[in-house]
Amino acid sequence: MVGPVSPRVVIAEDLYLLRDGLVHLLQAHGFEVVAAVESGPELLEALTGLRPDVAVVDVRLPPTFTDEGLQAALAARRAVPGLPVLVLSQHVEQLYARELLADGTGAIGYLLKDRVFNAEQFVDAVRRVAGGGTAMDPEVIAKLLVSTARHQPLGALTPREREVLELMAEGRSNAAISQRLFLSESAVGKHTASIFGKLDLAPSDDDNRRVLAVLTYLNAARG
């Protein structure tokens, strides 16, 4: 019998100790690290050549330490549509983060290094992005979403539905949302169904509709 296939991951981080730590952490949790690079050009080559199941990318890489990581990720997703990318950074680069979300295909995450508190949280985010979902830090969401209430159809959502959708953007399950908002899971289910309806998302796989709803929410900040 063939065992489960290990997700293939590319890591881009210029600091050696952090890069090596990420390699060992992900390997310990069943990932196959196919490349660990330290610069933007190396990252782009690895992503387009190896086509991993997910990339973990720092924003600021050599040679200029500005936005090489995100630029390489964007270029790779243009060459390989839907390539899963999890940004792991100390900074929120709003312009490029929005562009990364703009193609509407999902498989995107953006975590802040100083807000990742344990290995399980991080590994769960990597797996979620590799599976086509989203994993967004609340602080990133707050900076991306400015005055979204005026954007339709988001303007049709109730305040509670917007809370539910924001937690969905963080990658939380219905059970986790119910605990956070002190609601029953059935109530959360009703809210998500209402969100899907107001965002005009046709009946389909619920996981897919969750991703589409989150992308609609995040892309509102582009207006």
Side-chain angles (χ1 to χ4, degrees), residues 62-164:
T64 67
F65 294 98
T66 54
D67 53 26
E68 286 85 354
L70 273 178
Q71 289 279 31
L74 285 166
R77 277 176 67 98
R78 287 192 289 269
V80 186
L83 179 71
V85 173
L86 173 61
V87 177
L88 180 64
S89 178
Q90 291 179 320
H91 314 279
V92 181
E93 298 290 348
Q94 296 185 45
L95 176 63
Y96 294 115
R98 291 169 183 165
E99 189 174 346
L100 199 59
L101 292 159
D103 63 12
T105 58
I108 290 294
Y110 203 126
L111 302 181
L112 299 178
K113 290 178 179 178
D114 61 357
R115 289 170 55 85
V116 176
F117 302 117
N118 57 64
E120 290 72 22
Q121 174 194 4
F122 174 67
V123 171
D124 178 65
V126 177
R127 291 193 187 280
R128 194 158 57 243
V129 171
T134 59
M136 305 294 294
D137 185 278
E139 187 171 323
V140 176
I141 295 171
K143 290 189 176 183
L144 289 179
L145 298 174
V146 179
S147 300
T148 60
R150 67 179 182 272
H151 293 279
Q152 295 295 337
L154 291 181
L157 300 182
T158 67
R160 177 64 84 186
E161 287 167 351
R162 289 175 65 83
E163 287 182 313
V164 170

Side-chain angles (χ1 to χ4, degrees), residues 158-188:
T158 67
R160 177 64 84 186
E161 287 167 351
R162 289 175 65 83
E163 287 182 313
V164 170
L165 187 50
E166 181 172 341
L167 292 171
M168 286 169 58
E170 294 176 25
R172 297 179 186 271
S173 65
N174 279 8
I177 293 172
S178 71
Q179 292 177 357
R180 179 70 175 270
L181 298 181
F182 303 102
L183 298 172
S184 67
E185 283 194 51
S186 63
V188 173

Side-chain angles (χ1 to χ4, degrees), residues 11 13-25 38:
I11 297 169
E13 168 59 55
D14 64 295
L15 297 177
Y16 169 75
L17 288 178
L18 181 53
R19 185 171 67 251
D20 191 58
L22 288 171
V23 169
H24 285 86
L25 173 64
E38 60 179 335

Side-chain angles (χ1 to χ4, degrees), residues 39 60 76 87 127 130 139 193 204-205 208:
S39 72
R60 300 183 179 182
V87 177
R127 291 193 187 280
E139 187 171 323
S204 66
D205 176 76
N208 183 56

